Amino acid sequence: GVRRHAPTLARLRVPPPAFAMGYAGYAPGHKVVELTVLQQLLKLIKSDKSLETLEKLTRNTAQAPAEEKFRKVRLTNEKIAAVITDVPGAKEAMVEMGWVEEGEFLVLPPGRSVTMREVRDIDDARAALKKLEDEAFKRRIAARNAQKNPDKARLLAEMAADRAERAARDPVTRGSVAVPRGVGTMQTASGAGCSGTSGG
């Protein structure tokens, strides 16, 4: 049967996968990468510990698909509840990968497997989350420093405005033009009087 994703995504306030859109400034034919439902769910998770646990569970299952202990997760376990059950998007991401809820467990049914592709998606989500956290940290530091030195903050704001103004100007639309030099013949070393001997 066809799997329906809309109820899960709607409940988590995630828009359904968008159709590719073009963006100004990209070369013609540039393809916009669409996020899969799994990638959208992983993007909702704002806890590195949750993403780390998802990555470990998925990697273990992908590397040892016949190992039963990796195919069953108890949702009522205190540690699992803290990083999977209680985190928006985490359990839904596992269900999207094929896990099925059976009572207090999430089980990966026989015949269903996860691959390293899902592991890479989780790793990408972790990297994106780290980047967001780093940017937020830098903004907090900059705000704190701005409070200490208002003149520096004013200068930095002016510099940022200047950069934005330069970027907003029309791009250079005229490329370089070849300018002919000389008569078009090639000069060789012997023609220039250099015989190649050291004259010693």
Side-chain angles (χ1 to χ4, degrees):
V2 176
R3 295 179 70 186
R4 305 259 182 226
H5 303 293
T8 299
L9 294 176
R11 185 169 51 79
L12 293 171
R13 295 189 180 103
V14 175
F19 294 101
M21 301 183 308
Y23 292 101
Y26 284 154
H30 178 81
K31 300 215 189 261
V32 176
V33 178
E34 296 178 30
L35 293 179
T36 65
V37 174
L38 176 61
Q39 291 166 336
Q40 290 180 26
L41 290 167
L42 292 170
K43 196 174 178 182
L44 288 177
I45 301 171
K46 302 300 180 200
S47 162
D48 185 61
K49 191 68 176 165
S50 293
L51 289 169
E52 179 184 5
T53 302
L54 279 174
E55 190 267 340
K56 184 181 277 189
L57 292 169
T58 307
R59 183 180 300 275
N60 286 344
T61 309
Q63 290 177 340
E67 190 70 46
E68 282 302 315
K69 70 179 181 181
F70 295 143
R71 301 179 72 87
K72 193 173 194 177
V73 178
R74 184 185 303 268
L75 295 174
T76 55
N77 176 305
E78 187 177 316
K79 290 180 181 177
I80 294 295
V83 294
I84 303 290
T85 312
D86 299 340
V87 177
K91 185 170 78 171
E92 292 82 3
M94 290 186 74
V95 169
E96 179 61 28
M97 287 187 275
W99 294 77
V100 177
E101 197 166 354
E102 293 180 2
E104 64 179 307
F105 294 98
L106 270 180
V107 178
L108 193 62
R112 178 70 180 142
S113 62
V114 293
T115 64
M116 293 308 285
R117 171 184 229 147
E118 286 92 356
V119 175
R120 283 190 300 273
D121 286 346
I122 296 167
D123 286 341
D124 291 346
R126 285 184 76 189
L129 178 63
K130 177 155 180 36
K131 182 178 178 183
L132 285 174
E133 289 172 346
D134 289 348
E135 289 169 356
F137 177 74
K138 287 177 184 176
R139 284 192 301 273
R140 285 193 307 272
I141 295 296
R144 188 182 71 204
N145 289 341
Q147 290 174 347
K148 290 180 181 178
N149 190 345
D151 289 337
K152 183 177 178 181
R154 181 185 52 77
L155 287 173
L156 288 173
E158 288 176 10
M159 288 170 54
D162 288 346
R163 276 193 301 273
E165 183 180 325
R166 280 193 305 273
R169 289 185 192 144
D170 291 335
V172 177
T173 56
R174 198 168 35 126
S176 61
V177 178
V179 178
R181 305 272 183 203
V183 293
T185 60
M186 190 159 91
Q187 182 80 21
T188 62
S190 61
C194 301
S195 65
T197 60
S198 62

